[in-house]
Amino acid sequence: MLSAVYYLIQHNTTYSSISNPYFILSMRITTYLIFLFNLVMANGSSVELPIGLTDDEIARLGEIYLMGRDTDPPPSPVRNIAEYERMQGVLIRYPFGISTDIISEISQDLIVYCLVSSNQQNNANSVLENSGVNMENIDFVIGPTDSYWTRDYGPWWIVDGNSNISIADFTYNRPRQNDNEAPLKMSNHLDVPYYATDLIHAGGNYMTDGLGIAASSDLVYEENLISEHDVDSLMQSYYGIDTYHVVEDPNNTYIDHIDCWGKYLSPTKVLIREVPETHPQYDEIEEAASYFSSAMNAWGEPWQLFRVWTPNNQPYTNSLIINEKILVPIMGGSWDDEAIAAYENAMPGYEILGFTGSWESTDALHCRIKGIPDLEMLQIFHNPLNNGTEPVNSEYLLDVVVDDLSGMGTISDSVKVFWRELGSEQWESRQLYPSDIPENMDSWLGGIPALVDTGIIQYYIQAADYSGRKEKSPLAGWYSFLASPTDACLSWSVGDMDNSGELNVIDLLLLSDMTNDMDIGMCSQSISDINSDGETSLLDIQFLINIIMNS
């Protein structure tokens, strides 16, 4: 009943028997006093709240509608920063929800911003000092909190229309005023612009690609007392989200957070959990995987789908991408190694680190840490080349956008592509050049020299600016694509490995060498797949034998 009264007050609605304006005014005052009382009690409480709602909080859900702030939207265009972009630090809270081993790992490279009450700062400092943490990278943010789920209540970051990295706040979907204050505290602490919408949300139920696409479970529609269209409109105005995937939660758990089953790994890759067919949610999870794999990314191409095996509801998707590292929650069980391998396959070149903790299927590492972006990051945007890319004028063409938020300017001769063929340890490089079209001043063009034969090329983009930043795309590892060859091999016949004009025993010997991973020279990849099954194997040797005998 109390929640219903809050609803009525928030929306100026009354029951037919409650129409007296003095009654409404008194109810507003009473509600506000209750809200203040609960806030004071929360400030003085040392009880650790759960990730879900307590019975007391369920009775006080209406307080959420009094916690919100509402500013004008940020100047457009707005871009919501993704988790896998360059971070200068992370946000955690004391008492900790993660091990000091995790904090120590992060502190070696990044600033750890730690929310802590003034009367607990000395304790927090002592614990960290005694745990081998790099104290030079610890930055305490003073103020009370209610819980350690900084992912859920921490700040969401945007690049606004003035090229400023700013906070675009929302209302935390828990009646926890101290936690809800965290984004404003970080805005003041870091001296960054602050915007807010009173949209009710939680960071664990949100992921964005950094290019105008985002996803959540339909909890976001259920918790807001406005239409779905209005929710989508607020997401566009405050976060620049043009495509918002809002789906049913396939896990069917109490929390309905998307990070319990899915994760954007890059602007072109998405990870979805996988379970055995006997799992009660198998059909729903497969439906979610099919949905995301068939959706289009920001470049109008299907997402590349990756899976991680979670037969016993392990929280492997609840990982944290933090620059060149990925921290994965592991359970000390037999499936941990396979989970690590799944990330290594999806994100080649990244350092994959497993950490144990008090993890649950609905609450793990990602829930308890929030990234803080490099406030003057050097942005590189690039649509990776696809398998089967063909050369144009003997090059695989590249189009890259480089934008330095420092405002210091990009160093022109620093924008380069580095590439190598699969199996080579030597990287070659070539400079990219700025576009001569005035409207595309941040675009850089160039190419990778074409291969004479079909092959796999690995590559990355690198740039630097006058602030001293040097950046890569991707941040770690490389892009990879199957490159189509030039026309040099078109005149070669399939199976004629030495281009002699006839098929004979020599071709069989050369094909045999090739199946044993020996390099036999130019055009071999183009003509070795005799049975056209997409690979060179013993079956191709058998096919070639039959062709030679029948001829």
Side-chain angles (χ1 to χ4, degrees), residues 261-414:
W261 53 269
K263 188 179 193 70
Y264 285 146
L265 300 174
S266 81
T268 60
K269 300 177 181 179
V270 62
L271 176 73
I272 304 292
R273 69 177 294 212
E274 186 174 15
V275 297
E277 293 185 15
T278 54
H279 192 284
Q281 298 304 120
Y282 171 80
D283 290 339
E284 291 82 356
I285 291 169
E286 288 308 300
E287 184 179 345
S290 176
Y291 174 85
F292 279 96
S293 65
S294 61
M296 296 294 107
N297 63 30
W299 289 289
E301 300 169 353
W303 288 85
Q304 187 176 2
L305 176 66
F306 294 89
R307 310 299 297 272
V308 60
W309 187 244
T310 61
N312 299 315
N313 299 322
Q314 294 93 335
Y316 295 139
T317 62
N318 204 266
S319 61
L320 176 72
I321 303 174
I322 188 72
N323 296 340
E324 294 88 355
K325 300 177 182 179
I326 303 178
L327 312 187
V328 181
I330 56 175
M331 307 299 288
S334 58
W335 299 109
D336 289 347
D337 289 344
E338 186 170 328
I340 296 295
Y343 277 94
E344 290 173 339
N345 175 58
M347 305 289 276
Y350 281 76
E351 184 178 4
I352 315 299
L353 303 172
F355 288 95
T356 56
S358 57
W359 315 136
E360 300 176 11
S361 62
T362 55
D363 168 33
L365 196 153
H366 187 259
C367 299
R368 309 179 189 188
I369 309 175
K370 183 75 175 74
I372 306 296
D374 177 359
L375 299 180
E376 294 185 342
M377 74 169 72
L378 178 58
Q379 305 174 114
I380 302 178
F381 304 105
H382 170 62
N383 181 16
L385 298 181
N386 296 321
N387 288 338
T389 294
E390 297 183 351
V392 177
N393 297 326
S394 299
E395 288 186 327
Y396 305 109
L397 299 183
L398 298 170
D399 190 348
V400 179
V401 173
V402 180
D403 184 16
D404 67 302
L405 294 181
S406 71
M408 302 291 288
T410 302
I411 301 173
S412 59
D413 61 0
S414 73

Side-chain angles (χ1 to χ4, degrees), residues 41-329:
M41 292 299 291
N43 282 337
S45 174
S46 60
V47 176
E48 194 69 46
L49 294 174
I51 192 169
L53 290 161
T54 65
D55 291 340
D56 174 65
E57 288 177 324
I58 292 174
R60 298 189 290 108
L61 279 179
E63 292 179 14
I64 295 172
Y65 299 103
L66 298 174
M67 298 192 322
R69 301 180 184 86
D70 194 9
T71 71
D72 289 335
S76 61
V78 179
R79 188 180 73 80
N80 196 187
I81 295 172
E83 176 180 333
Y84 41 73
E85 297 187 54
R86 178 64 63 185
M87 298 289 147
Q88 69 182 35
V90 299
L91 179 65
I92 63 171
R93 172 269 203 182
Y94 181 85
F96 303 129
I98 56 175
S99 68
T100 52
D101 287 342
I102 296 175
I103 300 172
S104 180
E105 175 65 39
I106 296 173
S107 71
Q108 302 311 308
D109 308 304
L110 301 171
I111 301 171
V112 177
Y113 298 95
C114 180
L115 292 162
V116 61
S117 298
S118 57
N119 62 354
Q120 293 184 311
Q121 182 179 356
N122 289 338
N123 291 341
N125 193 80
S126 178
V127 170
L128 294 172
E129 281 186 336
N130 294 329
S131 302
V133 172
N134 178 11
M135 297 304 294
E136 292 184 0
N137 278 344
I138 300 297
D139 188 356
F140 290 112
V141 182
I142 307 303
T145 55
D146 302 304
S147 64
Y148 51 64
W149 287 281
T150 55
R151 170 68 50 181
D152 286 344
Y153 60 75
W156 290 5
W157 297 91
I158 61 169
V159 180
D160 66 28
N162 295 326
S163 295
N164 292 320
I165 290 189
S166 309
I167 290 174
D169 199 4
F170 58 95
T171 302
Y172 183 32
N173 69 343
R174 299 284 186 271
R176 301 175 183 177
Q177 180 66 23
N178 292 317
D179 288 348
N180 193 60
E181 294 286 332
L184 184 58
K185 291 174 186 173
M186 290 306 297
S187 171
N188 293 330
H189 189 78
L190 296 173
D191 191 25
V192 297
Y194 176 87
Y195 304 94
T197 169
D198 56 6
L199 184 75
I200 297 169
H201 220 318
N205 189 33
Y206 185 73
M207 61 184 187
T208 180
D209 72 336
L211 296 172
I213 296 175
S216 298
S217 82
D218 55 10
L219 179 67
V220 65
Y221 287 159
E222 295 172 5
E223 291 187 322
N224 284 279
L225 304 175
I226 56 178
S227 69
E228 295 178 3
H229 175 270
D230 287 344
V231 170
D232 294 347
S233 180
L234 288 174
M235 293 301 300
Q236 203 290 321
S237 296
Y238 286 83
Y239 302 100
I241 300 305
D242 300 312
T243 301
Y244 196 16
H245 297 289
V246 179
V247 298
E248 291 186 16
D249 182 75
N251 280 355
N252 192 31
T253 60
Y254 72 93
I255 199 163
D256 287 347
H257 281 189
I258 200 167
D259 65 359
C260 297
W261 53 269
K263 188 179 193 70
Y264 285 146
L265 300 174
S266 81
T268 60
K269 300 177 181 179
V270 62
L271 176 73
I272 304 292
R273 69 177 294 212
E274 186 174 15
V275 297
E277 293 185 15
T278 54
H279 192 284
Q281 298 304 120
Y282 171 80
D283 290 339
E284 291 82 356
I285 291 169
E286 288 308 300
E287 184 179 345
S290 176
Y291 174 85
F292 279 96
S293 65
S294 61
M296 296 294 107
N297 63 30
W299 289 289
E301 300 169 353
W303 288 85
Q304 187 176 2
L305 176 66
F306 294 89
R307 310 299 297 272
V308 60
W309 187 244
T310 61
N312 299 315
N313 299 322
Q314 294 93 335
Y316 295 139
T317 62
N318 204 266
S319 61
L320 176 72
I321 303 174
I322 188 72
N323 296 340
E324 294 88 355
K325 300 177 182 179
I326 303 178
L327 312 187
V328 181

Side-chain angles (χ1 to χ4, degrees), residues 385-389 396 448 455-459 479-484:
L385 298 181
N386 296 321
N387 288 338
T389 294
Y396 305 109
I448 299 171
I456 294 176
I457 292 179
Q458 298 169 336
Y459 74 98
Y479 301 114
S480 181
F481 72 101
L482 178 64
S484 295

